[in-house]
Amino acid sequence: MRNTRATKLLFELSQPGRRATRLPEPDVPVVPLAELLPRESLAADPPPLPELTEPELVRHFVNLSTQNMSVDTHFYPLGSCTMKYNPKRNERLAGLPGMVDVHPYQAASSVQGLLELLYELQQMLAEIGGLSAVSLQPAAGAHGELTALLVAAAYFRDTNQRRLKVLAPDSAHGTNPASAAMAGFDTVTVKSTPAGFVDMEDFVAKLDDSVAVFMITNPNTLGMFDRQIAEIASRAHDAGALIYLDGANMNAILGISRPGDFGADMMHFNPHKTFSGPHGGGGPGAGPIAVNETLAPYLPVPQIVRDGDQYRLDYDRPKTIGQVRSFFGNVGVLVRAYAYIRTHGPHGLRRVSENAVLNANYLLSKVKHIFAVPQGDRCMHEFVASAARLKAEHDASAMDVAKRLLDYGFHAPTVYFPPIVPEAMMIEPTETETKETLDAFAETLFRISEEPADLLHEAPHTTSISRPDEVRAARKPVLSWQGPA
Amino acid sequence: MLRTKSNAPRKAIRVGESSDPVDAPPPRGLTDIMPYIANTPEDQRAMLEAIGVASVEELFEAIPPELRLNGPLAIPPALSEMELTGRIASLAATKQRTTEAGCFLGGGSYDHFIPAVVDHVAARGEFYTSYTPYQAEASQGNLQAFFEYQTLITRLTGMDVSNASLYDGGSAATEAVLMAISATRRHGRVVTAASVHPEYRRILATYLANLETELVTVGTPDGTIDPDELKAALDEQTACVLLQQPNFFGCLEAAESLVQVTHDAGALAVVSVDPISLGLLKRPGDYEADIVVAEGQSLGSPMSFGGPYLGVMACREAFVRRMPGRITGETVDRRGKRCFVLTLQTREQHIRREKATSNICTNQGLFALRATVYLAALGPQGLRETAELCLRKARYAAQRIASEAPLQLAFDRPTFKEFVVRTTNNNVAPLLAAAGEQGFLAGVPLGRWYPELADCFLVTVTEKRTKGQIDALAECLQSRI
């Protein structure tokens, strides 16, 4: 039961002299600090951290946790984020001492099992993506995008091609153009058709020998598979450009279609989406990338290689772009992805996507009677409904619907994305939800669509807070507690 | 460009279990025992009927047949929970787990003690199975925790503002440099030093490879940066200096003079710190640093062979709108109640696209939470005592291990919890291997990054190491050299 009292900050709970930890007495000779370090390097006092006992800490944080919605507690149909169930066996296995009590600079001979796991994961991801080589290093999907673009830049530099442009559809995730800018490319936006597919005419017009990469999400951000992809890839390749696949929506096509087979030269995976790594309130995720054979030499170091029955980290790769993250990468997330893929096997992964697509289409068949779904009657693993009519006729927006859903015990869909659909509500149920949950969600959407606009404007009514003033937060930022130190 | 043929035969992946059949058993229908999928055959029939299609296959009609995979993926067959547990437990049979060996390895990933309360809080499903707080009303737990995290980081570093965390210390250092380039509008040069973590510098070089900015690295033959040499490396197009305190060799830099020299040249000072050292050392805010970054792993996260960790970033108020990553802010709700939201989002990629401050779209929420619980559990005294224990034990270890040839300290500089040992008979690899056989993770060889230090290794001593372990390591090294 939620404790409505628990909203004080750690700093407000603090009382001088309280402690939650006691450290051992020094077992080595105690010398005055001034003999160990120059006086001018020492702080006069320790940093002003809060002082609490362990029971207070536990109650504080556990009560805070109850103010979150989560996959463990709620249906969380946040489109594009693939909020599927996070298997508990994966948590236990990723937390084994042999996985966590391991230093990144331990000798390879002492971590052969872990290297074997990561090596096998590289191979399985290459197979799922239909590509040749994998780097597990990037720490998130956006980081994978950036890494792949750095790989592409290195490839073009190495082959003396001056290509400075990246093409991306107007429906792309914002990370695509942002990653392109960080990798030193100029982004050119390609129009989408009203149905959300690449506007071929516009694409062809913008494709020339200055284009390095076309970044595409397929299935796209409307949850539709763009069947022009083979032609897009072929035209891009004819122009000497590479195809990057944003793998955010891989949950729709596991074991059904492989990016490498439909023309992608490079892609990233989101193990925290597709392979059930928990989202952790924003992270950690991981963003492994897969590339074709031509691009493999440019991947970051280290790569795991197998010599006979031994695994080792290979840093000696002359064409590598270098490194994008310290040490090996988000290993804990990768172990969970490994556990997930091994739990499912080839048929199981296909079942995942089949049921993800079945659940989404079923929910679409119900939601389309309540809200317009501009893309039509079919989708892949997610779909985008529009609250434009509700807005016009009842003055209630997609945001109002999202907020009101919280009152009924459902997390909201992603709203106002992709920007090409007005009053967008992007709904991704995932395969781990039951038909009963989907039915209840659709019924709730219907009920909300009939509710008075005033009720919706002030929603949510049952959560600990309602409608924070975001303008005030941005105009006069208060980014840390301003009380006494 | 080489193309993969869609339906070419694919080589099965060899896996460790030799008894694995290469071909998986035939599928038993849409729900063949998938522990996380609920749809029964009856559910499926009803759902297909409601959709108005005859089969699941029809739902995939948008994918042209020639783009479909013909046959199952060539990955190993499904495992039950029991089989999976057996498989991963066997792979996790790491020799020399840091809990058993005396772990004297560091170099950016540290074996500090993690109080149980950290694991307890982080294991709450409401925390680890939630996502980025797009709906503030459904995420006050995370948002308040991030606000507390930001406050703790500002207090730890003495800076004005903190973001809600980045990926890791290395990429955070690079993000800070990019931020400095944008803040100063100086694109010509970035200066760093050999005493900064070599992997951090490599990340920076990787990110800068396609930009116009030149990366200049000042040498540190004596273990620390000479302020005059730094001065000589700065020009009027230098955006910033990236330095590390204590540095990669464990030595204390003359941080105040280095920041002063940097500011004199109109550049910004980016300082990468060891957060544990701030229990004792002056805070970067005290010596006027502009942007502070850190590897946050020390703050309550396991080493996990390198990740996940978290990148700490804090800066002066003036630069807040150039910060990358999520930032949480305080506001009030429609009833006037204090609450927390993601804020200053006009910096971010989902609004600004190619003009965003960075492509980063999430923080390392769960690991920022761990750091929050850790710092609150230690409190000011606990952090100071932890830092003091590290310092005292490391100094004791340095005396025991490296007081006479053939093992000597490489640098004559004050150190915090790490120090570089030189083997005068240039015997690093066999010595560390021999120590490994005796159960010690004795040190990190430096030759991979520093050819001139091929005869050296880095030893780290945290508060977890006992005098007994230190004495035993010293005896082991001295007998094997």
Side-chain angles (χ1 to χ4, degrees):
Chain A
M1 185 175 164
R2 200 175 78 213
N3 183 345
T4 50
R5 292 170 49 82
T7 51
K8 278 192 175 177
L9 292 162
L10 281 173
F11 313 93
E12 294 162 331
L13 295 167
S14 173
Q15 289 295 336
R18 287 191 183 147
R19 293 196 60 167
T21 38
R22 170 180 162 167
L23 285 137
E25 291 297 315
D27 56 358
V28 296
V30 175
V31 187
L33 284 178
E35 289 177 25
L36 296 175
L37 289 176
R39 193 176 299 276
E40 67 271 17
S41 68
L42 295 171
D45 298 298
L49 304 177
E51 298 175 72
L52 299 92
T53 61
E54 184 170 320
E56 291 176 288
L57 273 183
V58 168
R59 188 169 294 161
H60 173 74
F61 285 107
V62 171
N63 279 330
L64 276 188
S65 79
T66 65
Q67 299 194 20
N68 281 346
M69 280 187 169
S70 69
V71 174
D72 272 3
T73 51
H74 295 83
F75 179 44
Y76 211 123
L78 196 63
S80 199
C81 299
T82 315
M83 301 299 289
K84 63 170 72 177
Y85 172 70
N86 307 128
K88 302 311 161 197
R89 68 190 69 171
N90 299 359
E91 293 305 304
R92 180 155 82 183
L93 293 170
L96 288 174
M99 295 289 176
V100 294
D101 294 333
V102 185
H103 192 281
Y105 293 146
Q106 278 190 235
S109 59
S110 70
V111 287
Q112 283 294 300
L114 187 47
L115 293 179
E116 181 178 338
L117 182 154
L118 296 169
Y119 182 81
E120 243 181 67
L121 180 62
Q122 284 181 180
Q123 285 190 299
M124 295 192 297
L125 292 178
E127 167 66 10
I128 292 166
L131 289 159
S132 316
V134 167
S135 168
L136 299 175
Q137 189 171 93
H143 204 212
E145 290 172 17
L146 172 62
T147 308
L149 291 172
L150 292 170
V151 164
Y155 161 74
F156 287 121
R157 195 164 49 235
D158 195 36
T159 52
N160 296 314
Q161 300 183 62
R162 194 174 154 77
R163 292 173 179 264
L164 300 175
K165 280 192 257 176
V166 162
L167 303 186
D170 52 12
S171 61
H173 296 117
T175 52
N176 290 181
S179 299
M182 286 184 81
F185 292 108
D186 293 324
T187 304
V188 177
T189 303
V190 175
K191 283 184 208 147
S192 299
T193 64
F197 299 122
V198 173
D199 181 329
M200 283 304 279
E201 206 175 309
D202 195 45
F203 170 65
V204 171
K206 286 168 176 163
L207 184 65
D208 59 30
D209 63 6
S210 69
V211 173
V213 180
F214 181 49
M215 301 182 83
I216 182 167
T217 310
N218 198 26
N220 65 21
T221 55
L222 285 168
M224 303 289 278
F225 191 91
D226 195 332
R227 52 166 66 231
Q228 307 170 108
I229 184 70
E231 195 198 337
I232 291 170
S234 151
R235 283 181 181 265
H237 292 147
D238 287 348
L242 300 170
I243 296 287
Y244 180 80
L245 181 98
D246 180 328
N249 295 338
M250 282 300 288
N251 210 44
I253 58 170
L254 295 171
I256 291 164
S257 185
R258 304 190 305 168
D261 294 342
F262 58 68
D265 301 292
M266 42 187 189
M267 68 174 293
H268 78 261
F269 289 93
N270 296 98
H272 48 289
K273 300 179 182 179
T274 315
F275 304 125
S276 79
H279 281 73
I289 58 170
V291 301
N292 68 27
E293 212 170 325
T294 309
L295 298 172
Y298 306 96
L299 287 176
V301 287
Q303 284 276 300
I304 302 177
V305 293
R306 191 171 69 197
D307 297 331
D309 275 342
Q310 290 293 303
Y311 298 87
R312 65 180 171 85
L313 295 176
D314 182 14
Y315 286 89
D316 185 20
R317 301 171 77 87
K319 292 192 171 186
T320 178
I321 55 165
Q323 218 172 329
V324 292
R325 188 202 179 281
S326 54
F327 312 114
F328 189 80
N330 281 354
V331 175
V333 180
L334 301 169
V335 172
R336 287 168 175 84
Y338 175 87
Y340 183 85
I341 296 172
R342 292 299 318 264
T343 296
H344 286 83
H347 300 291
L349 284 188
R350 194 182 163 101
R351 297 283 173 267
V352 164
S353 288
E354 288 173 349
N355 282 282
V357 170
L358 177 64
N359 277 4
N361 276 282
Y362 177 67
L363 193 53
L364 166 59
S365 76
K366 302 212 145 199
V367 170
K368 71 181 179 187
H369 301 298
I370 310 163
F371 294 105
V373 179
Q375 70 201 72
D377 282 350
R378 292 285 175 277
C379 65
M380 297 297 285
H381 65 300
E382 68 188 357
F383 62 94
V384 181
S386 168
R389 203 182 61 208
L390 190 73
K391 174 98 175 159
E393 294 174 7
H394 295 280
D395 189 33
S397 65
M399 187 60 86
D400 295 331
V401 175
K403 297 293 186 197
R404 185 61 178 147
L405 276 167
L406 306 179
D407 280 332
Y408 288 100
F410 293 112
H411 196 279
T414 298
V415 288
Y416 301 105
F417 187 86
I420 56 176
V421 175
E423 298 295 319
M425 297 185 291
M426 188 190 217
I427 302 172
E428 181 180 14
T430 84
E431 73 285 359
T432 62
E433 296 299 331
T434 63
K435 176 172 174 292
E436 298 91 286
T437 301
L438 304 182
D439 288 339
F441 181 72
E443 279 159 29
T444 303
L445 278 180
F446 177 71
R447 193 163 162 183
I448 291 172
S449 73
E450 303 269 284
E451 285 182 331
D454 289 352
L455 187 68
L456 301 188
H457 291 156
E458 297 206 330
H461 301 272
T462 58
T463 47
S464 61
I465 62 140
S466 179
R467 301 277 177 156
D469 185 344
E470 296 189 2
V471 173
R472 168 177 157 150
R475 194 166 292 158
K476 283 194 69 181
V478 178
L479 308 179
S480 58
W481 189 62
Q482 300 300 307
Chain B
M1 180 112 316
L2 218 132
R3 297 253 44 87
T4 318
K5 273 277 172 283
S6 169
N7 294 324
R10 292 184 314 285
K11 208 169 58 182
I13 292 171
R14 178 187 173 279
V15 292
E17 315 98 303
S18 53
S19 61
D20 260 0
V22 173
D23 292 313
R28 278 169 284 187
L30 204 57
T31 52
D32 69 315
I33 319 190
M34 288 293 109
Y36 320 131
I37 299 174
N39 295 335
T40 64
E42 291 71 36
D43 290 334
Q44 288 155 16
R45 268 194 295 278
M47 293 164 85
L48 290 169
E49 197 182 326
I51 298 165
V53 293
S55 68
V56 168
E57 198 55 28
E58 260 185 65
L59 298 175
F60 289 91
E61 268 179 352
I63 308 181
E66 67 275 16
L67 301 184
R68 303 231 199 138
L69 185 63
N70 196 0
L73 288 167
I75 60 171
L79 298 178
S80 65
E81 182 172 359
M82 265 194 277
E83 293 165 312
L84 179 75
T85 302
R87 171 74 182 142
I88 294 189
S90 77
L91 293 172
T94 299
K95 293 181 203 158
Q96 297 178 322
R97 291 207 307 267
T98 54
T99 35
E100 287 157 9
C103 179
F104 292 88
L105 302 181
S109 175
Y110 298 106
D111 187 23
H112 289 290
F113 185 75
I114 302 173
V117 60
V118 176
D119 288 334
H120 176 80
V121 170
R124 291 287 299 186
E126 299 94 326
F127 280 130
Y128 82 81
T129 76
S130 62
Y131 194 36
T132 296
Y134 292 118
Q135 296 295 337
E137 293 93 335
S139 317
Q140 280 301 296
N142 282 332
L143 286 163
Q144 182 169 333
F146 297 159
F147 185 79
E148 292 176 343
Y149 165 85
Q150 290 172 185
T151 307
L152 288 166
I153 295 301
T154 57
R155 289 175 170 219
L156 186 66
T157 56
M159 302 302 286
D160 300 327
V161 289
S162 161
N163 70 8
S165 76
L166 301 169
Y167 305 137
D168 71 312
S171 59
T174 291
E175 291 282 348
V177 167
L178 297 177
M179 193 176 144
I181 292 173
S182 132
T184 57
R185 297 177 195 276
R186 291 177 167 196
H187 295 264
R189 182 179 281 195
V190 166
V191 176
T192 185
S195 57
V196 172
H197 196 305
E199 293 200 31
Y200 294 14
R201 288 186 283 118
R202 183 144 201 207
I203 298 166
L204 180 56
T206 304
Y207 273 63
L208 292 180
N210 305 309
L211 309 179
E212 58 202 298
T213 308
E214 175 195 17
L215 179 60
V216 174
T217 306
V218 176
T220 52
D222 301 324
T224 55
I225 305 168
D226 175 343
D228 290 334
E229 282 204 31
L230 178 65
K231 195 171 188 172
L234 300 170
D235 65 13
E236 67 284 358
Q237 270 311 303
T238 302
C240 66
V241 172
L242 168 64
L243 56 99
Q244 182 175 336
Q245 176 77 328
N247 70 25
F248 184 69
F249 307 126
C251 303
L252 263 56
E253 299 279 4
E256 295 190 64
S257 346
L258 298 175
V259 170
Q260 188 60 52
V261 165
T262 302
H263 286 166
D264 289 347
L268 300 185
V270 178
V271 185
S272 174
V273 295
D274 172 353
I276 298 292
S277 74
L278 298 178
L280 210 46
L281 300 182
K282 273 193 183 155
R283 303 181 296 168
D286 298 337
Y287 49 82
E288 309 290 322
D290 298 289
I291 308 173
V292 177
V293 291
E295 173 51 70
Q297 176 269 333
S298 290
L299 305 174
S301 295
M303 293 177 286
S304 299
F305 196 56
Y309 293 169
L310 73 151
V312 171
M313 179 185 270
C315 68
R316 294 204 280 118
E317 182 115 46
F319 306 124
V320 64
R321 285 174 197 272
R322 299 193 186 272
M323 258 196 162
R326 300 294 194 203
I327 298 178
T328 306
E330 180 185 313
T331 185
V332 293
D333 78 348
R334 68 179 166 84
R335 305 181 192 103
K337 186 175 175 186
R338 178 176 69 185
C339 62
F340 305 96
V341 293
L342 292 179
T343 193
L344 303 179
Q345 296 196 61
T346 50
R347 300 165 297 116
E348 293 189 64
Q349 48 77 30
H350 60 287
I351 294 174
R352 296 274 287 175
R353 300 179 81 83
E354 68 272 13
K355 294 192 176 64
T357 54
S358 164
N359 68 337
I360 288 179
C361 62
T362 53
N363 66 344
Q364 298 284 290
L366 191 66
F367 284 67
L369 175 71
R370 294 186 72 98
T372 306
V373 182
Y374 178 87
L375 285 170
L378 262 68
Q381 292 309 322
L383 188 69
R384 161 149 282 188
E385 288 166 18
T386 300
E388 273 190 33
L389 283 173
C390 292
L391 172 68
R392 292 186 193 288
K393 290 180 186 225
R395 278 315 169 79
Y396 174 75
Q399 279 168 6
R400 286 287 280 114
I401 293 169
S403 47
E404 55 188 281
L407 293 175
Q408 289 178 325
L409 289 179
F411 304 117
D412 180 24
R413 289 281 185 278
T415 55
F416 173 55
K417 71 183 184 197
E418 294 176 272
F419 53 91
V420 176
V421 178
R422 173 165 278 141
T423 61
T424 52
N425 58 0
N426 195 5
N427 215 11
V428 171
L431 179 65
L432 294 179
E437 279 162 28
Q438 299 292 305
F440 292 103
L441 295 165
V444 179
L446 295 181
R448 189 195 342 146
W449 304 293
Y450 302 94
E452 70 280 15
L453 299 177
D455 56 350
C456 294
F457 59 98
L458 180 69
V459 176
T460 300
V461 187
T462 69
E463 79 283 6
K464 281 175 75 177
R465 298 288 74 80
T466 62
K467 177 170 180 295
Q469 285 175 316
I470 296 167
D471 290 340
L473 175 68
E475 278 157 33
C476 169
L477 291 174
Q478 277 145 13
S479 68
R480 299 281 164 162
I481 185 83

